[in-house]
Amino acid sequence: PACVATFKKNGSFYLTRYWDYSFHSDDDPVYSEEYYIDKYEEILTKAVRRQLDHANRICLPLSGGLDSRTLAGILHNIGYSGEVQTFSYGHPHCYDVVYARKIAQQIGFPHYYIPVNSSYLKEYAEKFVWLMEGSVNCLNSHMVATYDFIRKNNFNSIMTGFLGDTLTGSGSFLKGIERETDDEVVVRTQYDLHAEIMRDKELAYYMKHEIYENVKDRTFQDKRARYYNCPSRNRYFRTRYMHLYESTKRYGGFNLYIFDFVSNVLSPFVDAEFVDFVLHVPAQLLLNQNLYKKILRKHLPEVASVPYTKTRLPLNASWLRK
């Protein structure tokens, strides 16, 4: 991504990067928290509007998390004139389904439930792996179960919250950083956090010996190199940079591509202006997504009043209730 590949007649080949993530630095101005709260909502709303040009029937996967409820709240706030249909999948009583239904009711969007049964791997895993060209595991193959619903209703666009939590500072970026001064410890902690499957001992078991010898330790070294190549020296931003390239792109990217086969995909969180703005917010404001939650409480109170999956409390719950 964001590179130009050049092939020459003499057989040489090289890549030239024309864009990269950049982060808040000591030279950047620091504004009040209130400024960032308002600016975040303004720029993300603009990003949503940019992607609505040719969309008149939007399908919105909705959960009890932050990203999809944020998009639902913005679509409601701007008075989008087209049709919005929300849906959720999973067990009928899981928090994502229950809370998503409440969010939809709160802002007046219709909601549809798609069950995921215990045989979903048998039914969808092979197709999912084929569609994603084997780039991720089949754990999320239940997403293919939405295809019939989307096709049947002829939704010309589907809006996803891809990249939202990664950009806005989910808690995983703090693992190994607090009070740690050794970058090697931070890299190893972050690697162990995200490389939960197919570590070297599993690769050694499943792969042919000659192949394993060529790839062993490669994943860790790739992540380590990405960490040190980050344009910021801040350990928090370094872990985010590593995560954006090595985890989100490789293992989370299916959220961006899986619906390509049935509809036009809209992903406001990947808007370049929004990405540049969020990554230049001072790190201390992003810890544990605190800024994100305050944005919802101030600008999207309808969706903030519905419980959040991770805490099972409304985002605008009082301190006493928390």
Side-chain angles (χ1 to χ4, degrees):
C3 290
V4 173
T6 303
F7 296 86
K8 292 199 170 185
K9 289 182 178 180
N10 62 9
S12 64
F13 162 73
Y14 58 90
L15 293 173
T16 306
R17 180 170 294 282
Y18 59 84
W19 181 90
D20 198 0
Y21 297 103
S22 62
F23 301 90
H24 181 85
S25 70
D26 293 339
D27 296 329
D28 287 347
V30 176
Y31 303 101
S32 68
E33 185 179 54
E34 204 66 21
Y35 167 86
Y36 293 109
I37 288 173
D38 293 340
K39 201 69 176 173
Y40 180 109
E41 188 272 340
E42 175 191 326
I43 295 177
L44 184 57
T45 299
K46 193 191 304 182
V48 171
R49 289 184 185 277
R50 280 195 187 107
Q51 301 207 4
L52 295 178
D53 285 348
H54 305 291
N56 50 39
R57 299 191 72 236
I58 292 178
C59 190
L60 178 65
L62 197 53
S63 72
L66 300 181
D67 304 328
S68 60
R69 78 168 69 202
T70 298
L71 297 178
I74 289 176
L75 286 171
H76 174 258
N77 270 9
I78 65 176
Y80 173 61
S81 58
E83 177 186 348
V84 178
Q85 169 73 61
T86 66
F87 73 84
S88 302
Y89 38 65
H91 187 280
H93 302 297
C94 74
Y95 294 129
D96 272 339
V97 173
V98 173
Y99 296 159
R101 188 180 292 118
K102 288 183 178 179
I103 292 169
Q105 289 172 350
Q106 194 77 349
I107 55 180
F109 287 163
H111 183 266
Y112 184 80
Y113 165 63
I114 300 173
V116 175
N117 57 43
S118 58
S119 61
Y120 86 91
L121 285 173
K122 177 183 176 183
E123 295 169 10
Y124 304 119
E126 186 174 359
K127 182 174 183 179
F128 180 80
V129 172
W130 180 76
L131 290 172
M132 296 294 99
E133 299 181 335
S135 61
V136 293
N137 64 50
C138 59
L139 183 65
N140 295 91
S141 58
H142 61 273
M143 296 173 81
V144 178
T146 64
Y147 282 13
D148 289 342
F149 167 70
I150 296 169
R151 287 193 178 110
K152 181 180 177 181
N153 291 278
N154 295 313
F155 294 112
N156 68 342
S157 297
I158 183 164
M159 184 173 284
T160 76
F162 172 69
L163 206 64
D165 59 343
T166 303
L167 287 173
T168 49
S170 62
S172 62
F173 300 116
L174 297 175
K175 302 293 184 182
I177 298 177
E178 296 171 296
R179 296 181 294 279
E180 181 56 64
T181 58
D182 187 341
D183 284 304
E184 289 297 316
V185 173
V186 174
V187 173
R188 176 56 69 177
T189 304
Q190 284 285 316
Y191 174 76
D192 289 341
L193 178 69
H194 296 294
E196 295 177 347
I197 59 173
M198 288 300 164
R199 299 177 189 273
D200 273 352
K201 62 180 181 181
E202 284 94 6
L203 294 176
Y205 181 81
Y206 286 110
M207 287 182 164
K208 292 181 179 179
H209 178 71
E210 61 273 20
I211 296 177
Y212 170 71
E213 287 299 315
N214 283 329
V215 301
K216 67 179 181 181
D217 203 38
R218 176 68 181 271
T219 307
F220 174 72
Q221 293 303 331
D222 281 351
K223 287 205 170 200
R224 182 178 181 276
R226 191 71 71 178
Y227 178 88
Y228 287 109
N229 287 337
C230 176
S232 172
R233 302 279 70 83
N234 181 298
R235 292 188 179 91
Y236 174 72
F237 287 136
R238 279 180 159 184
T239 59
R240 295 182 71 189
Y241 186 77
M242 178 174 69
H243 187 58
L244 282 163
Y245 271 108
E246 300 299 326
S247 298
T248 300
K249 182 170 72 70
R250 295 173 187 266
Y251 308 121
F254 67 87
N255 288 287
L256 186 61
Y257 304 121
I258 188 61
F259 296 118
D260 267 344
F261 307 95
V262 286
S263 189
N264 176 44
V265 179
L266 312 176
S267 297
F269 286 106
V270 305
D271 180 272
E273 182 183 3
F274 178 74
V275 171
D276 283 337
F277 165 74
V278 172
L279 295 182
H280 281 84
V281 174
Q284 62 269 25
L285 297 181
L286 296 171
L287 302 182
N288 289 316
Q289 297 184 298
N290 285 328
L291 185 74
Y292 198 7
K293 294 165 189 171
K294 289 178 180 177
I295 290 158
L296 283 156
R297 290 199 290 267
K298 178 176 181 179
H299 292 286
L300 304 169
E302 294 90 350
V303 297
S305 66
V306 177
Y308 173 38
T309 306
K310 291 183 179 179
T311 62
R312 300 191 292 282
L313 284 172
L315 292 166
N316 55 9
S318 68
W319 282 108
L320 181 62
R321 185 174 179 187
K322 290 177 184 177

